[in-house]
Amino acid sequence: MEYFKKLLGLLKTEREEDQNAYLKLTESSSVAERRANGLTWYPIAIRGSEMSRGDYVTVELERTSHQDISHQLRFGAAAVLFSNHDPKNDRLEGVIAHQSANKLKITLRTDELPDWARDGKLGVDVLFDNNSYDEMQNALKTADVRLGQKEEGHLVRILTGASKPSFDHTIFTYAIPQLNTMQQLAVDRILSASELAIVHGPPGTGKTTTLVQAIKALIKKDHQQILVVAPSNTAVDLLSEKLADEGLNVLRVGNPARVSERLMSLTLDNKMAGHHSMKELKDLKKQGSEYKKMAHKYKRNFGKAEQEQRKALFNEAYKIMKEVGNTEQYIIDDLLAKAQVITATLVGANHYTVRGREYHTVVVDEAGQALEPACWIPLLKAKKVVFAGDHCQLSPTVKSTAAARNGLSRTLLEKSVALHPEAVVLLEEQYRMNEKIMGYSSRVFYEDKLKAHPSVAQRVLFPEDAPLAFIDTAGCGFDEKNEGTSSTNPEEAVFLLKHLTQLVAQLGPHYPLEQFPLIAIISPYKQQVYLLKELLLNAPELQAYQEKISVNTIDSFQGQERDIVYISLTRSNAEGVIGFLSDIRRMNVAMTRAKKKLVVIGDSATLSRSQFYSDFISYAEENNAWQSAWEFMET
């Protein structure tokens, strides 16, 4: 079908772009450069090793320095252990089996560590992620084949618009006390859906709460295991914890992004460690390891008898390792069978431990950020799917502008909402923002349907404080400066810090330091973020509040909230060019992080050529929230 052929073509374009970017970062680059780019741990130390399935060895490594550098070494990623004595030749490829803090385990495609691994100067490089692309490609090809199959292709046809979803309205539903009317309706829609239900959750509307209750209700109704997936480990972690808190037996496939005892207890590794057959497995591994050690004592140039003995020992080790594999699989199968909910990332849903499993229902959370080809990996395992997310916020990251422009950035959630409005429930009541902060987003993105819960509708920092401000820098001479692909506006940054300093002084009498409101300073531009961070570090009046203030890009704040949010729009030029700011879904995220006060700083002369910003400025004026920067510069 043309639908999947087009997606396969877009995925190919994206893969090529991604691979070229990776090669640019790694080809002829030094270890230090790769480390700075988050692709390498160096130096590392080997902390232990054990025999693994398939006659491989799993090695535990620790990053011994440069531990503050963020990195891309993740569970399931292809990686290579290398010696910096001779990095071209002394290298062993494998897969990261576990990663936590500054330690990781890598399963290497060898039955013993080579001699060079004992000579120091070791490092580990993450390799290009061919596996994820292969999984996505295979899923798209399989989905294409299924389209022509009567039963197996039913869900595929619905999701591609060839068929309509059905609902059984005779199904008994029950009231869940902690849910509001629309949240309850969403749960009812999920229970009555035969193939597809969609929870559209705008900011602060309790999407996660709704989803958790829906999953509980589905398990109560169907008594069947549910697969819950999301595009990021962070989102998977959140749902895993919330579901476990409700008393469900949750099994987390893969590595949590956040290290917590609670989360770790849900992982497959942790549950395996506590399984009653684990002692037997450890004993077998020990035996196998001993046989291998004995075999390696015989060198190949020994006599015939020694060679025979060597061969016999290797055979014995091989038999034991086969038994190790069988025992390990028994433990995994046993744990999987007992789990009510399996949680994983989209690609992690096809990890070897769960690859062949099928589910009645698959729940895709944060579906607005999920690349469609990745969604098909778990969807092919389902008869019914529940999408939850908000396609009016950040879309998935697509590296190729050509692929994005031609449709790869459009999610299956967005398509399904358009194709099947009868499957959608919009959560309308939000519990985060003052109603004036909420109002503009509601008008532009949610058909003016959002309403603020009474507990937050009028909430402000202190009596008489205004919850919303647009501070107009037009005519102030705050001109942007372009740095590579990013923009900065030094005068706007200085002004923002000055305004924040004044606000902090106002807040002082109302809040002791330990209860001081949390503040976010957001800009769409990385260079502006760096500049703001630098200025903040050198702002003496704000030193005491450093712990309370976060500065970052919009993407970094998705899913988060703060009491106060400042947005530095940065762009100010005579041509009215706004570049990145034209992504209004991204701006929707920025504008909906604040609970009690939102301060947007920008140049109306530049911004107002865009309908979105022109209307926002009008909205600010309607709400007496427009101010000129001149008012503050004179004080």
Side-chain angles (χ1 to χ4, degrees):
M1 183 191 177
E2 199 54 46
Y3 183 94
F4 288 107
K5 282 195 183 112
K6 184 185 176 187
L7 271 177
L8 280 162
L10 294 174
L11 187 65
K12 184 171 182 274
T13 304
E14 174 69 359
R15 184 180 201 152
E16 286 165 359
E17 180 75 24
D18 199 4
Q19 197 153 22
N20 288 338
Y22 174 83
L23 290 172
K24 201 179 271 187
L25 280 175
T26 55
E27 273 184 345
S28 68
S29 61
S30 67
V31 166
E33 287 167 330
R34 294 200 307 277
R35 182 172 60 202
N37 285 318
L39 301 171
T40 300
W41 279 11
Y42 182 86
I44 56 166
I46 292 177
R47 297 299 185 214
S49 66
E50 63 173 14
M51 292 175 72
S52 187
R53 293 161 72 105
D55 221 18
Y56 292 168
V57 65
T58 296
V59 184
E60 186 176 357
L61 310 170
E62 184 174 10
R63 177 163 63 159
T64 53
S65 69
H66 302 85
Q67 295 178 342
D68 56 331
I69 298 175
S70 61
H71 62 89
Q72 297 172 36
L73 282 78
R74 300 280 181 269
F75 167 82
V80 60
L81 176 71
F82 67 88
S83 161
N84 214 26
H85 289 296
D86 185 2
K88 278 202 164 50
N89 296 310
D90 294 346
R91 51 195 288 117
L92 269 176
E93 290 191 8
V95 174
I96 296 173
H98 181 86
Q99 188 273 313
S100 177
N102 289 299
K103 286 188 176 177
L104 64 78
K105 288 182 180 178
I106 180 169
T107 300
L108 298 166
R109 298 183 183 103
T110 181
D111 63 349
E112 64 169 336
L113 281 172
D115 292 341
W116 55 258
R118 299 175 186 88
D119 298 337
K121 293 186 82 170
L122 296 178
V124 61
D125 278 335
V126 69
L127 297 173
F128 180 70
D129 187 11
N130 273 308
N131 177 59
S132 292
Y133 282 104
D134 288 344
E135 292 282 11
M136 288 189 273
Q137 184 179 292
N138 292 339
L140 292 176
K141 286 178 178 176
T142 305
D144 194 23
V145 170
R146 285 215 189 154
L147 262 177
Q149 298 170 343
K150 192 179 175 188
E151 280 187 34
E152 287 199 318
H154 184 51
L155 183 59
V156 181
R157 284 190 292 277
I158 287 168
L159 294 174
T160 52
S163 300
K164 299 299 279 180
S166 58
F167 300 86
D168 180 358
H169 296 294
T170 64
I171 281 176
F172 172 76
T173 57
Y174 55 93
I176 301 168
Q178 60 265 53
L179 300 185
N180 65 38
T181 307
M182 296 311 287
Q183 290 172 335
Q184 179 71 55
L185 183 62
V187 173
D188 294 349
R189 186 72 48 90
I190 288 167
L191 292 176
S192 66
S194 301
E195 306 91 1
L196 173 68
I198 300 168
V199 181
H200 183 185
T205 53
K207 169 180 65 71
T208 304
T209 301
T210 307
L211 211 48
V212 167
Q213 292 305 319
I215 290 165
K216 268 183 80 177
L218 278 169
I219 287 168
K220 191 174 178 180
K221 170 181 161 279
D222 298 330
H223 304 288
Q224 295 199 56
Q225 192 174 70
I226 292 175
L227 173 66
V228 177
V229 291
S232 71
N233 276 305
T234 307
V236 177
D237 290 348
L238 176 66
L239 265 177
S240 300
E241 270 189 314
K242 299 273 186 194
L243 289 163
D245 289 345
E246 289 289 328
L248 294 173
N249 183 339
V250 178
L251 193 150
R252 166 74 157 100
V253 174
N255 249 157
R258 190 164 45 82
V259 180
S260 81
E261 212 171 300
R262 180 81 175 113
L263 268 174
M264 296 313 284
S265 72
L266 306 177
T267 62
L268 182 57
D269 282 354
N270 200 284
K271 292 193 178 205
M272 283 179 76
H275 195 274
H276 60 82
S277 295
M278 201 60 192
K279 187 183 181 307
E280 181 192 338
L281 185 68
K282 281 182 176 172
D283 290 346
L284 282 169
K285 281 186 177 181
K286 194 176 173 187
Q287 275 179 41
S289 191
E290 281 167 2
Y291 275 111
K292 276 199 173 177
K293 270 183 196 165
M294 285 191 282
H296 284 300
K297 284 178 184 171
Y298 292 95
K299 301 298 176 193
R300 291 182 190 276
N301 56 359
F302 276 20
K304 194 176 178 205
E306 286 88 349
Q307 282 179 7
E308 289 295 325
Q309 182 65 15
R310 185 177 193 268
K311 190 179 173 186
L313 288 165
F314 269 128
N315 283 342
E316 198 56 41
Y318 175 75
K319 276 186 210 162
I320 290 168
M321 287 317 293
K322 205 168 179 185
E323 212 176 320
V324 164
N326 292 338
T327 307
E328 200 169 277
Q329 196 57 54
Y330 160 73
I331 295 171
I332 290 167
D333 291 344
D334 187 44
L335 290 168
L336 287 171
K338 288 172 181 167
Q340 292 170 294
V341 182
I342 292 173
T343 63
T345 58
L346 298 166
V347 176
N350 227 18
H351 186 252
Y352 79 89
T353 51
V354 289
R355 186 177 286 275
R357 296 188 81 79
E358 293 190 345
Y359 310 86
H360 182 268
T361 303
V362 168
V363 176
V364 184
D365 191 20
E366 299 298 354
Q369 292 178 68
L371 207 61
E372 179 174 351
C375 278
W376 285 104
I377 298 167
L379 293 182
L380 292 172
K381 301 169 182 290
K383 289 185 174 65
K384 166 175 167 175
V385 61
V386 178
F387 287 129
D390 184 7
H391 52 287
C392 301
Q393 294 188 65
L394 288 180
S395 53
T397 302
V398 177
K399 294 184 172 75
S400 162
T401 48
R405 192 173 55 246
N406 289 312
L408 193 59
S409 61
R410 192 160 185 244
T411 61
L412 204 45
L413 171 69
E414 192 176 349
K415 291 177 184 178
S416 298
V417 167
L419 284 169
H420 307 299
E422 69 277 23
V424 183
V425 175
L426 173 71
L427 303 181
E428 295 177 358
E429 192 164 35
Q430 64 83 20
Y431 298 82
R432 175 184 296 163
M433 298 164 270
N434 179 292
E435 61 189 4
K436 287 190 177 176
I437 297 172
M438 171 202 80
Y440 186 63
S441 277
S442 178
R443 185 186 293 180
V444 174
F445 296 100
Y446 308 109
E447 300 173 3
D448 231 352
K449 287 180 178 173
L450 287 195
K451 52 184 182 286
H453 187 266
S455 64
V456 302
Q458 304 297 324
R459 189 167 61 174
V460 287
L461 289 165
F462 54 87
E464 311 307 316
D465 187 47
L468 177 68
F470 172 70
I471 302 176
D472 192 350
T473 64
C476 294
F478 293 179
D479 293 335
E480 68 183 65
K481 292 174 175 49
N482 293 314
E483 298 191 17
T485 56
S486 196
S487 298
T488 61
N489 193 321
E491 287 92 351
E492 183 176 292
V494 169
F495 174 80
L496 186 153
L497 267 290
K498 183 184 176 186
H499 188 279
L500 174 59
T501 303
Q502 289 174 4
L503 178 62
V504 164
Q506 276 182 290
L507 293 171
H510 299 278
Y511 296 94
L513 186 58
E514 62 275 9
Q515 290 165 18
F516 203 81
L518 295 176
I519 302 164
I521 302 173
I522 303 176
S523 175
Y525 294 96
K526 277 184 183 172
Q527 290 300 329
Q528 185 75 345
V529 166
Y530 295 148
L531 179 59
L532 285 160
K533 282 181 175 177
E534 201 176 310
L535 289 170
L536 181 62
L537 282 172
N538 296 300
E541 302 95 327
L542 297 173
Q543 287 308 303
Y545 304 95
Q546 294 280 345
E547 296 278 300
K548 304 288 182 179
I549 304 170
S550 316
V551 187
N552 223 319
T553 57
I554 296 171
D555 299 44
S556 305
F557 280 107
Q558 170 94 348
Q560 297 185 41
E561 59 185 28
R562 295 290 189 275
D563 298 300
I564 303 162
V565 170
Y566 276 81
I567 303 174
S568 170
L569 292 175
T570 308
R571 301 309 295 258
S572 177
N573 55 71
E575 298 74 33
V577 175
I578 62 168
F580 209 31
L581 295 184
S582 58
D583 183 351
I584 62 172
R585 291 193 293 189
R586 184 172 258 103
M587 198 46 59
N588 184 31
V589 173
M591 289 178 168
T592 53
R593 301 305 97 197
K595 296 200 281 188
K596 300 174 187 175
K597 191 175 186 74
L598 172 66
V599 181
V600 181
I601 301 173
D603 178 353
S604 64
T606 299
L607 297 167
S608 57
R609 299 194 199 183
S610 151
Q611 190 68 51
F612 175 81
Y613 293 101
S614 174
D615 289 349
F616 173 67
I617 293 163
S618 299
Y619 175 80
E621 287 169 343
E622 285 166 32
N623 288 281
N624 296 318
W626 181 91
Q627 294 170 288
S628 170
W630 285 106
E631 296 171 35
F632 299 92
M633 290 163 74
E634 288 159 8
T635 58

